[in-house]
């Protein structure tokens, strides 16, 4: 099986249609590992999309075809998922995705100023990539780290309490090929392809590196210990020993609400006893789709 060189599509140019034999064998072996984690094969689609991104640097047409054939889906079904989530890129991405949070708190703290400075500094805008292919800049809604606003993420590693100048220094170091350490998390930022493989579910051995939670994140826990605060008990458990009258009343109210709303195994809202194979999995249309995909693999 031959394969074209994977390059960005331009007028008159087509994408590579398939993988070479060695690459295909490796992807199929990884896909087998991923599928084994799920009782329903199609549930493996999200990590499979990350897997093809780890190979191509984006969700390419051949990556979509691979996912469809592997899971017995149509390419339209795979594309519908790939275009819904922003972590899946539909055109070649840079080695480092730099996401600047401009949601409310980060914006107030300087997120907009950071984004505008990086646009001028790099000469690109949202979802655009520098000419050297190193950095793709994104304006994102939330990096889920409001306690460290303003926050920038590089391939989903945190860079906390940033300024326009510090953010520019980070992207300059990335483009220069220098090792860059995030504020929290692993000891060093890896490439977009490497991180995509981690998101596909293949550990890189760096889970215990670096700082997991900083002072701002832990402040609530420290304060609770200092004040003797405790969480409301679970249904059936004894009341906490150290509680004030006010806390006890709140705990009882919380317990009553939890008991009324918590799903129980077998209830209508619980998925614990649902069969792993639903009607859609056994429908004649689904079986025909899977058979067509199997036939395509053999051609």
């Amino acid at each position: 099986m031959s394969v074209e060189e994977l390059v960005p599509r331009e007028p008159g140019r087509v994408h590579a249609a398939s993988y070479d034999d060695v690459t295909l064998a490796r992807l199929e072996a990884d896909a087998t590992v991923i599928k084994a984690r799920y009782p329903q094969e199609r549930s493996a689609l999200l990590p499979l999309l990350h897997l093809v991104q780890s190979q191509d640097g984006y969700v390419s047409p051949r990556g979509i075809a691979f996912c469809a054939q592997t899971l017995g889906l149509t390419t339209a079904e795979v594309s519908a998922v790939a275009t819904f989530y922003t972590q899946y890129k539909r055109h070649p991405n840079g080695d480092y995705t730099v996401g600047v949070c401009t949601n409310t708190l980060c914006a107030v703290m300087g997120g907009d100023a950071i984004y505008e400075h990086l646009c001028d500094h790099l000469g690109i805008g949202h979802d655009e990539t520098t000419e050297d292919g190193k950095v793709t800049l994104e304006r994102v809604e939330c990096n889920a780290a409001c306690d460290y606003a303003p926050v920038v993420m590089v391939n989903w590693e945190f860079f906390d309490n940033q300024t326009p100048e510090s953010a520019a220094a980070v992207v300059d170091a990335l483009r220069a090929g220098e090792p860059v350490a995030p504020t929290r998390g692993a000891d060093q930022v890896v490439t977009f392809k490497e991180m995509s493989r981690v998101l596909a579910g293949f550990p890189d051995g760096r889970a215990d590196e670096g700082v997991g939670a900083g002072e701002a994140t832990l402040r609530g826990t420290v304060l609770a210990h200092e004040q003797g605060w405790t969480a409301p008990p679970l249904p059936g458990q004894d009341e906490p020993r150290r509680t004030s009258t006010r806390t006890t009343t709140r705990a009882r109210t919380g317990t009553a609400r939890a008991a009324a709303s918590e799903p129980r195994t077998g209830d209508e809202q619980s998925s614990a006893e649902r069969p792993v194979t639903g009607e859609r999995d056994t429908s004649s249309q689904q079986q025909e789709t899977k058979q067509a995909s199997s036939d395509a693999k053999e051609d």
Side-chain angles (χ1 to χ4, degrees):
M1 183 184 297
S2 62
V3 63
E4 305 170 35
E5 180 185 1
L6 188 64
V7 295
R9 185 163 57 181
E10 299 173 356
R13 185 190 296 275
V14 297
H15 279 287
S18 59
Y19 295 102
D20 62 79
D21 292 336
V22 174
T23 301
L24 182 61
R26 184 177 69 253
L27 290 175
E28 287 178 338
D30 288 340
T32 299
V33 173
I34 292 173
K35 288 193 297 180
R37 302 173 187 151
Y38 301 92
Q40 298 178 14
E41 279 192 356
R42 69 175 182 271
S43 298
L45 179 55
L46 297 183
L48 276 181
L49 288 169
H50 284 299
L51 179 66
V52 297
Q53 276 200 151
S54 73
Q55 173 62 38
D56 294 336
Y58 71 113
V59 179
S60 62
R62 66 181 183 181
I64 289 176
F66 172 80
C67 291
Q69 293 170 7
T70 300
L71 300 179
L73 301 172
T74 66
T75 54
E77 289 174 314
V78 176
S79 294
V81 174
T83 55
F84 184 84
Y85 297 101
T86 57
Q87 277 190 317
Y88 301 126
K89 311 303 180 184
R90 294 309 308 275
H91 51 81
N93 199 74
D95 292 336
Y96 302 97
T97 297
V98 176
V100 182
C101 181
T102 57
N103 212 330
T104 306
L105 184 56
C106 277
V108 170
M109 300 296 289
D112 286 332
I114 292 173
Y115 176 76
E116 291 169 3
H117 183 73
L118 289 182
C119 285
D120 294 338
H121 186 70
L122 297 172
I124 56 177
H126 172 70
D127 198 28
E128 295 179 352
T129 303
T130 54
E131 291 185 359
D132 58 9
K134 292 292 185 180
V135 173
T136 296
L137 182 62
E138 289 186 340
R139 181 173 189 146
V140 300
E141 279 301 306
C142 185
N143 279 330
C146 300
D147 40 356
Y148 295 100
V151 175
V152 174
M153 295 193 85
V154 179
N155 291 346
W156 301 287
E157 298 284 8
F158 288 106
F159 288 78
D160 304 322
N161 301 314
Q162 292 295 293
T163 66
E165 292 74 25
S166 66
V170 168
V171 297
D172 286 345
L174 293 171
R175 298 182 73 184
E178 300 172 5
V180 175
T183 308
R184 292 172 285 136
D187 291 340
Q188 183 175 330
V189 172
V190 297
T191 66
F192 180 78
K193 288 184 178 181
E194 291 173 306
M195 182 56 73
S196 293
R197 182 167 178 82
V198 175
L199 293 173
F202 296 94
D204 60 359
R206 305 184 312 137
D208 297 324
E209 292 181 0
V211 177
E215 181 180 355
T217 302
L218 299 175
R219 182 58 186 148
T221 301
V222 173
L223 185 60
H225 282 301
E226 292 175 351
Q227 300 296 324
W229 297 339
T230 56
L234 295 173
Q237 290 185 342
D238 295 334
E239 294 281 343
R241 291 183 180 180
R242 297 183 59 188
T243 56
S244 65
T245 303
R246 182 179 179 183
T247 304
T248 301
T249 302
R250 186 180 299 138
R252 287 174 179 166
T253 302
T255 301
R257 290 176 179 172
S261 62
E262 182 176 357
R264 294 185 298 275
T265 300
D267 281 0
E268 182 179 354
Q269 67 206 93
S270 171
S271 62
E273 294 184 355
R274 290 178 188 166
V276 297
T277 301
E279 180 180 347
R280 185 180 186 280
D281 300 292
T282 57
S283 68
S284 58
Q285 180 180 1
Q286 177 69 0
Q287 295 305 312
E288 291 174 2
T289 300
K290 296 194 71 170
Q291 185 60 51
S293 297
S294 298
D295 294 342
K297 292 179 185 178
E298 298 173 0
D299 291 342

